[in-house]
Amino acid sequence: MLKINCPFCGPRTEDEFTCGGQSHIARPVTPAEVSDQQWADYLYQRINPKGVHYERWRHTFGCRQWFNVARDTVSHEIYAVYQMGEPKPSITEKGV
Amino acid sequence: MEKYSAFSLLKNTLTGHKHWPKSWRNAELKSAYDVVIIGGGGHGLATAYNLAKNHGITNVAVLEKGWIGGGNTGRNTAVSRSNYFYPESTRFYEHSLKLYEQMNDELNYNVMFSQVGIINLALDRHEMDIFRRWSTSIQLQGVDSELLTPEQIAEEVSILNMGAKTRYKIHGGFIQRRGGVSRHDAVAWAYARAADNLGVDIIQNCEVTGFDIVDGGIRGVKTSLGKIRTDKVGMTVAGHSSVVAAMAGIDLPIISMCLQAMVSEPVKPCLNRIVMSPKVGCYLSQSDRGEMVIGGGADSYTSYGQRGNLPTTESVLGAVTELFPTLSRMKLMRQWGGIVDIAPDASPIVSKTPVTGFYISTGWGTGGYKAIPAGGDTLAYTIANDKPHPLVEPFSLDRFAKGRLVDEGAAAGVAH
Ligand SMILES: [Zn+2]
């Protein structure tokens, strides 16, 4: 069970949240001009790292706000919680 | 290879079971191979076996980071079925189910495949409507499927809660009687023994660390035991597909997630079908040893930790005890997790790649076990002929850019 520190409500248990997958995916600015491959990359390609993953979470059964989490995909340790629109924090082996 | 038979059993019984030959050699890693398979699970071993048997390519190594069958092949709930929705999927999985039906004879190994039948439960009217459509689609493709009324379901499965006070009333369902369970370790061992017998080298405790790629083509594999020269590599590594493909410079549309399963303490036989509910997200069967083998949906976020998280465990067990209240006081004996490779359309990717000589078999997601024989057959064909086997043409890597997805999000379901 993860304990996630919602930036709006404070620490809550994992089952109040929904994971929205990889964060910081930029939609092509001019969709009509990109190739099929570039559009497919935007829709389907995911980093899927073994290690630090920057992902979106929503406090579904709470404030319903979206925010970002930097989490290790092996240990599941959460290194950082930060707002939507903020840049990725850089994570070293030992955390922020 | 000594053939297993009633005679060999008798002979070895008389000599106290001290002289059984090894099932496969402890092969030395050579410096060059015609084909290197990465991943010694069911898919990798079946691929190597088919390369040797069907295509005459015997100078093959199977590299396994841990021990063979120690990944998802040994962590699933051993269900085989072919009740998919789209023809592309049904054709493929029906081929696989037929190969399971012949596996004992083909590999001279008892994989204990019991076709007990798999029942999908409809817990509301709308689900029953969908099941009619789904079951009809299966029948149209010439595969067995029967709709069941609630009364027929009560006869098939005596311990289901059919009472008036259920939270979810059972509205009916459908059954594929040829669906079944087998012994997963035996499937890995059977393919390993048969492949080894044809000259394939099985190398355990050998981790791939990189590739030699020249002019866009595979020239070699770097491993923890040294370098290997080869022009062809087949990748069958399930949850680690993104990690291994990245070493070859290939990005995949795959997400790795943990899928857990669990077994109860053993009890006397009381459940003789596989029962599955897509709505509440659980399924179970009773093993030959009497344990309830329980599974559900994958955990809800990216993970390489082979453990499983508690909220999913609770949700699966809650669903089981709702459908089968009589099981509510049983003890769980074991719970475990495997890392599954999920594609955006919940369908596999068996394909050539932008790197010449690098072939992938991934995206098996929560249902790779049932696909082992056909996955091995089709990947071996694809490697040997450098063109996709007709059964996996719809499952190529370039389908995402072409928009030709095979969306099996529903039929991939929860039974693995
Ligand atoms: Zn909140």
Side-chain angles (χ1 to χ4, degrees):
Chain A
M1 179 85 77
L2 300 178
K3 187 165 76 179
I4 300 171
N5 193 9
C6 173
F8 309 98
C9 313
R12 301 292 177 92
T13 55
E14 171 184 340
D15 40 11
E16 293 188 16
F17 297 86
T18 311
C19 182
Q22 184 181 327
S23 195
H24 305 287
I25 296 172
R27 187 176 192 268
V29 181
T30 51
E33 287 162 32
V34 299
S35 69
D36 288 352
Q37 188 60 54
Q38 285 168 314
W39 189 248
D41 288 351
Y42 157 66
L43 287 179
Y44 303 121
Q45 212 70 260
R46 296 296 176 260
I47 302 170
N48 197 29
K50 186 176 185 178
V52 180
H53 192 220
Y54 299 90
E55 55 198 14
R56 300 175 301 171
W57 283 77
R58 184 181 62 188
H59 193 185
T60 310
F61 303 105
C63 63
R64 299 193 62 79
Q65 295 292 311
W66 284 94
F67 55 93
N68 286 316
V69 167
R71 183 181 60 89
D72 190 294
T73 60
V74 181
S75 68
H76 295 177
E77 181 178 353
I78 293 172
Y79 296 127
V81 173
Y82 57 105
Q83 301 277 357
M84 299 305 291
E86 272 187 62
K88 293 177 197 178
S90 77
I91 309 289
T92 62
E93 298 260 309
K94 292 196 179 68
V96 187
Chain B
M1 180 175 84
E2 183 179 330
K3 201 168 185 297
Y4 293 151
S5 64
F7 174 73
S8 75
L9 182 60
L10 179 64
K11 189 184 88 181
N12 282 288
T13 305
L14 292 175
T15 54
H17 295 294
K18 286 176 186 149
H19 304 289
W20 285 106
K22 283 198 168 170
S23 293
W24 55 85
R25 296 164 296 134
N26 219 346
E28 283 280 310
L29 186 66
K30 292 188 285 190
S31 60
Y33 287 96
D34 293 340
V35 179
V36 170
I37 303 294
I38 305 171
H43 279 272
L45 295 163
T47 303
Y49 167 74
N50 280 287
L51 279 170
K53 163 118 190 307
N54 296 339
H55 306 286
I57 303 172
T58 56
N59 186 24
V60 175
V62 177
L63 310 182
E64 167 53 48
K65 181 172 74 172
W67 66 97
I68 63 166
N72 291 353
T73 302
R75 292 166 189 264
N76 57 74
T77 50
V79 172
S80 296
R81 59 186 175 91
S82 61
N83 54 357
Y84 278 68
F85 185 78
Y86 291 105
E88 293 90 336
S89 317
T90 307
R91 272 197 295 270
F92 179 89
Y93 287 104
E94 177 63 10
H95 179 53
S96 210
L97 187 57
K98 283 182 173 152
L99 291 174
Y100 264 108
E101 289 171 332
Q102 302 156 12
M103 195 177 284
N104 284 359
D105 290 338
E106 166 86 18
L107 301 177
N108 179 232
Y109 208 106
N110 185 3
V111 300
M112 302 183 188
F113 184 43
S114 313
Q115 292 177 288
V116 295
I118 177 163
I119 296 175
N120 274 25
L121 299 175
L123 301 188
D124 60 44
R125 265 176 49 205
H126 314 291
E127 199 173 25
M128 197 58 220
D129 287 346
I130 294 291
F131 279 8
R132 280 196 195 94
R133 180 166 175 258
W134 184 356
S135 178
T136 307
S137 167
I138 298 165
Q139 289 171 355
L140 282 173
Q141 295 161 61
V143 175
D144 71 301
S145 177
E146 290 165 44
L147 284 169
L148 299 175
T149 63
E151 295 72 32
Q152 287 171 311
I153 287 175
E155 263 176 46
E156 298 277 352
V157 188
S158 56
I159 59 172
L160 261 176
N161 184 5
M162 306 293 290
K165 283 190 175 169
T166 51
R167 182 167 177 193
Y168 299 109
K169 185 167 172 279
I170 292 169
H171 285 247
F174 73 99
I175 183 168
Q176 183 181 29
R177 294 200 184 273
R178 287 167 55 245
V181 288
S182 44
R183 183 170 179 217
H184 44 23
D185 296 323
V187 170
W189 297 337
Y191 274 114
R193 174 169 169 268
D196 173 87
N197 183 49
L198 295 171
V200 170
D201 286 352
I202 295 165
I203 315 287
Q204 304 185 73
N205 300 309
C206 177
E207 184 170 0
V208 168
T209 55
F211 297 103
D212 277 334
I213 297 174
V214 180
D215 298 333
I218 286 282
R219 292 291 174 272
V221 181
K222 296 171 197 161
T223 78
S224 55
L225 298 180
K227 283 188 181 181
I228 308 167
R229 272 179 289 119
T230 187
D231 292 337
K232 289 190 170 187
V233 167
M235 182 191 87
T236 54
V237 297
H240 279 72
S241 293
S242 298
V243 176
V244 175
M247 294 178 196
I250 297 169
D251 294 328
L252 295 177
I254 293 287
I255 292 175
S256 297
M257 286 183 164
C258 184
L259 177 67
Q260 46 182 311
M262 48 213 107
V263 295
S264 72
E265 59 188 327
V267 289
K268 290 267 165 87
C270 58
L271 175 66
N272 52 3
R273 303 273 177 265
I274 306 157
V275 180
M276 158 171 168
S277 168
K279 187 185 178 84
V280 293
C282 73
Y283 68 99
L284 77 164
S285 63
Q286 190 173 17
S287 73
D288 294 341
R289 288 175 293 198
E291 305 145 339
M292 292 296 163
V293 182
I294 299 167
D299 292 3
S300 60
Y301 45 80
T302 306
S303 175
Y304 286 84
Q306 293 174 308
R307 300 178 297 268
N309 67 6
L310 189 62
T312 303
T313 318
E314 284 184 317
S315 140
V316 171
L317 291 173
V320 167
T321 52
E322 175 64 35
L323 292 172
F324 301 91
T326 186
L327 304 182
S328 64
R329 279 179 292 165
M330 284 182 78
K331 289 178 183 130
L332 268 194
M333 208 162 60
R334 295 191 304 279
Q335 175 272 1
W336 65 92
I339 302 305
V340 297
D341 38 336
I342 299 178
D345 54 357
S347 284
I349 302 170
V350 183
S351 183
K352 296 171 68 171
T353 66
V355 176
T356 309
F358 190 74
Y359 306 87
I360 58 172
S361 174
T362 182
W364 296 106
T366 57
Y369 179 74
K370 71 174 88 71
I372 285 173
D377 183 16
T378 54
L379 181 62
Y381 180 100
T382 305
I383 294 172
N385 298 294
D386 192 38
K387 70 167 195 217
H389 186 286
L391 281 175
V392 293
E393 273 172 13
F395 301 117
S396 65
L397 182 57
D398 61 9
R399 73 174 182 268
F400 299 99
K402 288 178 176 166
R404 292 183 57 88
L405 276 62
V406 187
D407 189 357
E408 288 287 9
V414 292
H416 323 291

